[in-house]
Amino acid sequence: MFQTEVEFTLPKGYLDDEGSLHRDGVMRLATAADEILPLKDPRVQQNPAYLTIIVLARVITRLGSVPSINTKVVEGLFASDLSHLQGLYERLNGDSTDAFAPGEEADPREPVGLNAFDTAGGVVR
């Protein structure tokens, strides 16, 4: 059985409107719909870089005690945390040579890629 979710810890953390910091979360494997349906979103059609925001909002299932993960939450992440999550997405959804072992957590100190999604809206593997 392969792992469908991975826990992560953000390097800086998401600071909500009340000033609470949320660093620990869970990301699930992306489905075809996670990568295709956002391409119809007008925000992506106007700015292909927005695809990253929508896709991450769909696959992050938990972030601290934030009640709902949506595009506003992902937009509010610090740049280093967004970069960390893009790298995690690449690793989780890329080829199996970089797959996670069961129970393995993403290391926030691990170098990550910056370009999970290209500017044309495609996912870089």
Side-chain angles (χ1 to χ4, degrees):
M1 188 166 153
F2 65 95
Q3 187 173 1
T4 60
E5 293 185 333
V6 63
E7 294 182 0
F8 63 82
T9 302
L10 295 176
K12 294 194 180 337
Y14 170 70
L15 199 57
D16 66 20
D17 291 339
E18 286 78 41
S20 297
L21 189 64
H22 307 273
R23 292 189 66 210
D24 298 322
V26 175
M27 180 184 291
R28 66 168 173 76
L29 277 173
T31 64
D34 292 325
E35 295 189 352
I36 294 171
L37 294 178
L39 295 172
K40 296 178 182 175
D41 190 293
R43 296 169 293 184
V44 174
Q45 293 173 354
Q46 290 178 347
N47 180 3
Y50 202 78
L51 178 63
T52 299
I53 302 297
I54 296 176
V55 170
L56 288 177
R58 291 175 64 103
V59 298
I60 297 171
T61 59
R62 184 179 62 78
L63 180 58
S65 61
V66 176
S68 175
I69 309 302
N70 54 46
T71 56
K72 293 295 179 197
V73 171
V74 178
E75 288 175 358
L77 293 171
F78 293 107
S80 60
D81 290 332
L82 180 63
S83 176
H84 178 76
L85 290 171
Q86 287 176 309
L88 177 62
Y89 182 92
E90 284 180 53
R91 189 169 172 206
L92 185 60
N93 294 288
D95 64 37
S96 62
T97 58
D98 259 357
F100 287 88
E104 181 183 2
E105 180 177 338
D107 185 346
R109 298 164 298 177
E110 182 176 296
V112 295
L114 295 174
N115 300 312
F117 306 98
D118 66 27
T119 56
V123 177
V124 177
R125 300 270 185 234

